[in-house]
Amino acid sequence: MTVAPTRIAVLHGPNLNLLGEREPAVYGHTTLADIDAMLHGVAESLGATVECAQLNAEGAMIDAIHGWRGGRISGAIVNAGAYTHTSLALRDALVGVAIPFVEVHLSNIYAREPERRHSMLAASAVGVVCGFGAASYEYGLRALITHLVSPR
Ligand code: DQA
């Protein structure tokens, strides 16, 4: 019997398409294409696959999350950008599909402006990785795959 490889959805939220040119002192010089390529490589090395999407609109992100249903996606990496701090609707979508996710951020949101220090999503996540630049995604992916193999 062949076992289907773990398939992870990676969801990047608003303005993350501008990575590389957007506030490099905060977010670094790595582009979103670089991050996605790195994630594909890390996933492959762990026997998993990733599918990556970047969406600027909150409703489009919710539709994408709904599309993870049906057993195709085992877990998700979510950087919801500024919607992290505001969107109860995104949290409802993530909880609604009941797919384990890790919240990631390039910057350390807890060391930034007060309005960025609260996440609407964190309490529903398996865990949160922030502050390591593009490596936050790699650490998040490795942690998620470990969690999926042996949940706490
Ligand atoms: C971010 C942090 C958010 O506060 C911000 O709105 C972003 C990027 C990060 O990855 O550090 O767009 O999610």
Side-chain angles (χ1 to χ4, degrees):
M1 186 182 82
T2 52
V3 179
T6 302
R7 188 150 180 87
I8 306 295
V10 179
L11 182 58
H12 310 283
N15 301 306
L16 293 167
N17 53 312
L18 299 181
L19 283 182
E21 58 182 277
R22 171 193 185 203
E23 300 180 78
V26 178
Y27 299 117
H29 294 277
T30 309
T31 67
L32 197 63
D34 293 335
I35 290 173
D36 288 348
M38 175 273 290
L39 291 173
H40 281 286
V42 171
E44 192 180 349
S45 75
L46 297 172
T49 59
V50 288
E51 62 179 52
C52 303
Q54 188 278 323
L55 295 161
N56 285 317
E58 188 178 15
M61 290 180 71
I62 291 167
D63 287 339
I65 292 165
H66 292 177
W68 298 344
R69 288 174 299 155
R72 206 173 53 81
I73 295 294
S74 344
I77 299 292
V78 179
N79 182 352
Y83 293 137
T84 302
H85 317 295
T86 61
S87 182
L88 186 56
L90 268 183
R91 177 166 83 203
D92 284 349
L94 289 162
V95 171
V97 300
I99 288 170
F101 71 97
V102 171
E103 174 182 335
V104 304
H105 301 281
L106 297 126
S107 63
N108 178 356
I109 58 172
Y110 301 101
R112 299 187 62 190
E113 309 95 298
E115 60 271 27
R116 293 185 202 275
R117 292 181 200 156
H118 179 257
S119 166
M120 300 293 283
L121 313 180
S124 304
V126 175
V128 180
V129 182
C130 71
F132 298 96
S136 292
Y137 283 91
E138 176 184 351
Y139 303 149
L141 179 61
R142 290 183 184 278
L144 175 62
I145 291 172
T146 301
H147 170 80
L148 292 173
V149 171
S150 50
R152 296 180 243 116

